[in-house]
Amino acid sequence: MTDLWDEAAETDLRQVLCRVRISLELPEGFRAEIIEADEGSGRIDISRTAPYVHGRIANRLHNAFSAHLHGSPYADWFGIDIIDGHNVWRADTFIALTDDVENGICEYGVAAPEVRLVAEVVAPGREDQERDRIRKRRV
């Protein structure tokens, strides 16, 4: 199982970020992601969930991927976090194995090494583009 933190080391900033993100009670229509967490810094990005047109495009991608992957060991996923160490983000859609794999699934999402493809529908705003094209991509 992939775990987000080691119970013994509670002073690591990355672990603190994970604990804070999990404990957040955001109002409907918002999401929180941890991007670019390292030993000395990190940030929790809180953003609105996507508008209808964004969701419609993401659903079209999801449907196309699902049709293409039918009968294969892979599936298209959405609405599930991708975990990479202490970085946690939610892609619009991604492809990973259909069945749980050793070290690939954790309580909080799918481990990044198990993800084969990530697709983001990028909103036109400058901040959205910075987040999706630069910060998330580095993870």
Side-chain angles (χ1 to χ4, degrees):
M1 280 291 200
T2 300
D3 199 359
L4 285 176
W5 58 74
D6 174 8
E7 293 294 333
E10 293 194 22
T11 58
D12 184 323
L13 176 63
R14 294 171 301 179
Q15 293 176 2
V16 172
L17 285 168
C18 288
R19 289 182 186 270
V20 169
R21 180 190 172 272
I22 289 167
S23 68
L24 287 174
E25 293 183 19
L26 296 174
E28 189 172 333
F30 289 87
R31 68 178 179 186
E33 300 173 292
I34 299 173
I35 302 172
E36 297 181 332
D38 61 32
E39 291 180 21
S41 66
R43 65 191 276 177
I44 296 175
D45 278 3
I46 297 176
S47 59
R48 292 187 178 277
T49 53
Y52 173 76
V53 70
H54 184 277
R56 188 177 70 210
I57 294 167
N59 278 323
R60 286 180 181 167
L61 279 171
H62 169 70
N63 292 338
F65 288 153
S66 292
H68 179 74
L69 295 168
H70 180 73
S72 80
Y74 293 93
D76 181 63
W77 298 84
F78 66 96
I80 299 172
D81 290 334
I82 299 172
I83 312 296
D84 184 26
H86 291 86
N87 293 297
V88 180
W89 75 98
R90 186 163 293 183
D92 290 320
T93 186
F94 65 92
I95 295 174
L97 288 169
T98 302
D99 296 323
D100 292 356
V101 292
E102 185 178 337
N103 297 319
I105 307 298
C106 71
E107 181 179 356
Y108 302 103
V110 175
E114 301 302 328
V115 175
R116 300 298 179 248
L117 178 135
V118 174
E120 283 284 343
V121 178
V122 181
R126 193 172 71 90
E127 177 61 27
D128 296 323
Q129 291 177 6
E130 165 80 15
R131 181 186 62 245
D132 288 347
R133 291 184 175 159
I134 298 172
R135 292 194 312 264
K136 279 186 174 182
R137 190 172 183 179
R138 282 193 288 242
V139 179

